[in-house]
Every structure is written in structure tokens, then in C-alpha cells.
Amino acid sequence: AKELGRNRFATFHPEFQDKSSHQSAVIQALRHSLRNGGFRLKLQPKFDIRSGQSGPRMIGAEALLRWNAPGLGETPPDVFIPIAESTGLVRELDAHVTKMLVGLLAGWNSDGGPCPTVAVNISAQSFQDTRFAERLLELLAQNAVPPTALSIEITETTLMKRSSSASDNIRSLRAAGITIAIDDFGTGYSSLSYLQRLPLAELKIDRSFIARIGGRDRDGEVIVTAILLMAQALGLRTVAEGVETDAQFEWLRSEGCDMVQGYFLSPPLEPQEFIRLYREGRAR
Ligand code: C2E
Ligand code: CA
Ligand code: CA
Ligand code: CA
């Protein structure tokens, strides 16, 4: 991802002499947009594919951040999130994204229609803050949004440190009804003990594994089957991310994966488009 970020910057921003001047430009632009706006959310639908249903059913979404950076143009999260993480700005960014999402959920909750559960990506650094859960629950209460409308995606890195603040935040959020998903599962270096130790609800299998199924890569399929079996044994729901083909989709369904996300069923959508489709699905 770092290489890609660098290539992109070399392609689109030849005016920057080196990586560090590009980084400081991004940091400055992030500070500006955190104060003045410039971020948007896209929502990528998540589908329940469990057998015994007529077809995939839209059950919620994941919020993905989009940023038109002043002076830099449209900049993808794979580029600016690592930079925000290196400066601690990512905490402010997490808070900003969460506020935007809670604003959307508040609108949908107050207009009487059916409401989806939407996931937000939260960085490891935010979970180090002992008051993270408390502040988030306060924000939901102020906006009359039920905690079950929100879910949180964290990566294995968040759990690797075995920090008590991360565990405490997870337990408080879970107790309040917020589901926690392990994102990019399989790409960290962590021991698996946290899967038993913490009240997690979902395991999202990283796209790099999904790219290996539904074709001729038997080893790839064996790995995903093993992940699915382990998750089921631990009582975790499974989500496959980055599902791009019919072959991958059918394979996952036959192996008992619970949910899928990916271009095969839907790209990330504008929030208004997402809620329209979600409610259309409920009305039928
Ligand atoms: P992620 O959490 O693993 O999110 C999934 C990424 O895969 C998204 O990229 C999504 O657009 C992309 N994707 C979805 N379906 C497919 C598919 O079928 N094929 C392929 N090749 N890609 C697919 P995006 O939006 O560029 O985000 C990249 C990463 O940036 C995210 O990975 C997440 O780690 C981070 N990110 C995005 N939004 C936020 C945010 O609000 N806060 C934080 N802390 N991180 C964020
Ligand atoms: Ca995610
Ligand atoms: Ca992911
Ligand atoms: Ca990822």
C-alpha cells in the first residue's frame, strides 16, 4: 500500500520534491478539512447470503471516507489514513467520520422508515483513548440514535497491544449493543487469543484471501474454509470482503459464509442512494 501511495503521488503530484513534502502537504490539508469540511461518506452495502433465503438481502453498510483535499484533489484513504495515523490526526478524523455517520443515522431514525446498521472504521489509536466508548455512547444518545444502528470495524493491530483501554472500550461498546467486527482478518501478525478473550461479533475475511477462491487455487480455498470453520466454532458471524465474481460469491454461499460485501453485489454508494435501495428491499 505504501508503494502504491508513492506511485500515485509521483504520478499526480510531480510538483512535490519528495515524500516528506507530500506528507506535510497532506497533513496541512487534513487540518484544513477537519476545520472547514471537505470529507464525504460513501456507503457500501453488506448482504446477508445465508441459505434458506431467496437471494442476497441488504442488511446494512460500511461507511468509507472520501476526501477532496484542498490543493491536492481527490485523495484515497489508503494514502491519507496512514499519514493521519503517523501524526495522531487520525483520532480527530475518526471522531469527524463518526459524527457525519451519526448525523445520517439520526435523520433516518427520525423519519420513521426502516433503519440499517452501518459500520464505521476506527483506528487503533482511538481505542487507546480510555474515554472513547463513553464519548461515542454520549454522541449516540444526544442524537437519539440506538447503539444497534452502529457497528465498528477494528483491525487486529488494535487488539495486538493487549492494552486494557482497548479491551475496556470493546466491552463497554458491546454491552451497549454495538457490534464489533475484526477487519482485514488474516493480515495481522497477532495471536488468535483475542478472538476468545473479547466480545467480538463479526470476522471480516480480508480481500486478499477472497481473491484466491472460486478458481483453481485449492490452497487459497482451504485457508478460507478453515477461517469460516474457526469463526463458526467461536460464534462469530463471517463477512467476506472484496467479492468481485459470481464464482467467488457461489463458493462462499456453498461454504456457509454469512455475509458478503464487494463490487459483485454493489460498489460504495452515495448515502441517499444506499438508503433508497435499503428501504426498497424492506418494502418488498
Ligand atoms: P477496508 O476497511 O478494508 O475497506 C474496504 C475497501 O475495499 C474500500 O476501499 C472499498 O472501496 C474497497 N472495495 C470494496 N469492494 C471491493 C471489491 O469488490 N474489490 C476491490 N478491489 N475493492 C473493494 P477504500 O474506500 O479505498 O478504503 C481503503 C481503506 O481505507 C479501508 O479498507 C480502510 O482501512 C480505510 N478507511 C476507509 N474509510 C475510513 C475511515 O472512515 N476511517 C478509517 N480509520 N479508515 C478508513
Ligand atoms: Ca473496513
Ligand atoms: Ca477490510
Ligand atoms: Ca483493507
Side-chain angles (χ1 to χ4, degrees):
K2 281 223 173 70
E3 256 339 282
L4 182 64
R6 196 152 11 140
N7 289 340
R8 275 188 198 165
F9 126 70
T11 314
F12 296 124
H13 304 294
E15 67 272 28
F16 293 111
Q17 292 303 304
D18 53 40
K19 202 175 153 193
S20 79
S21 67
H22 175 251
Q23 286 212 356
S24 37
V26 169
I27 292 164
Q28 233 194 325
L30 278 172
R31 291 216 170 91
H32 183 269
S33 293
L34 280 167
R35 272 194 309 266
N36 306 296
F39 296 104
R40 300 160 343 263
L41 292 183
K42 284 227 174 177
L43 301 183
Q44 185 175 37
K46 233 164 117 173
F47 296 84
D48 187 334
I49 60 162
R50 278 172 294 191
S51 53
Q53 299 184 155
S54 48
R57 182 176 163 80
M58 199 186 287
I59 45 160
E62 173 180 3
L64 294 162
L65 194 53
R66 296 292 175 260
W67 183 36
N68 192 347
L72 301 169
E74 205 57 45
T75 305
D78 283 337
V79 171
F80 68 79
I81 296 285
I83 297 174
E85 277 171 344
S86 72
T87 61
L89 270 177
V90 76
R91 286 191 192 202
E92 273 181 70
L93 203 57
D94 284 346
H96 192 82
V97 174
T98 306
K99 272 200 193 110
M100 286 198 289
L101 179 57
V102 169
L104 282 173
L105 293 170
W108 297 341
N109 260 285
S110 65
D111 71 11
C115 282
T117 298
V118 183
V120 63
N121 291 284
I122 299 291
S123 68
Q125 283 174 43
S126 290
F127 266 75
Q128 294 305 309
D129 179 349
T130 48
R131 294 191 54 208
F132 175 79
E134 183 187 328
R135 285 206 196 96
L136 179 57
L137 294 172
E138 225 168 75
L139 176 72
L140 292 171
Q142 280 163 3
N143 287 276
V145 172
T148 49
L150 191 72
S151 111
I152 291 180
E153 298 191 4
I154 55 179
T155 61
E156 289 165 288
T157 333
T158 309
L159 308 166
M160 250 157 63
K161 298 171 179 125
R162 262 189 170 272
S163 83
S164 62
S165 40
S167 309
D168 289 349
N169 278 321
I170 290 168
R171 293 201 176 89
S172 313
L173 294 168
R174 185 68 199 121
I178 296 182
T179 52
I180 317 261
I182 298 298
D183 204 359
D184 302 344
F185 181 79
T187 60
Y189 307 97
S190 134
S191 89
L192 297 176
S193 63
Y194 69 81
L195 289 175
Q196 270 193 305
R197 198 161 42 84
L198 295 169
L200 308 164
E202 256 177 47
L203 188 155
K204 297 191 81 176
I205 305 169
D206 192 64
R207 165 165 107 222
S208 58
F209 296 104
I210 302 309
R212 299 180 58 184
I213 63 174
R216 260 172 258 126
D217 183 348
R218 290 295 159 245
D219 291 347
E221 294 184 343
V222 166
I223 292 171
V224 177
T225 300
I227 295 174
L228 290 170
L229 285 171
M230 182 192 63
Q232 282 152 11
L234 289 168
L236 295 164
R237 284 191 308 257
T238 47
V239 187
E241 60 177 27
V243 176
E244 293 182 349
T245 69
D246 183 55
Q248 291 168 345
F249 176 79
E250 287 306 333
W251 188 90
L252 288 161
R253 185 148 61 180
S254 71
E255 290 293 306
C257 181
D258 297 320
M259 288 169 271
V260 303
Q261 217 182 312
Y263 299 155
F264 177 64
L265 289 175
S266 172
L269 305 172
E270 294 298 331
Q272 295 324 308
E273 175 75 350
F274 163 73
I275 194 66
R276 192 180 62 72
L277 290 172
Y278 175 82
R279 288 181 168 172
E280 244 174 52
R282 306 282 119 172
R284 264 188 265 119

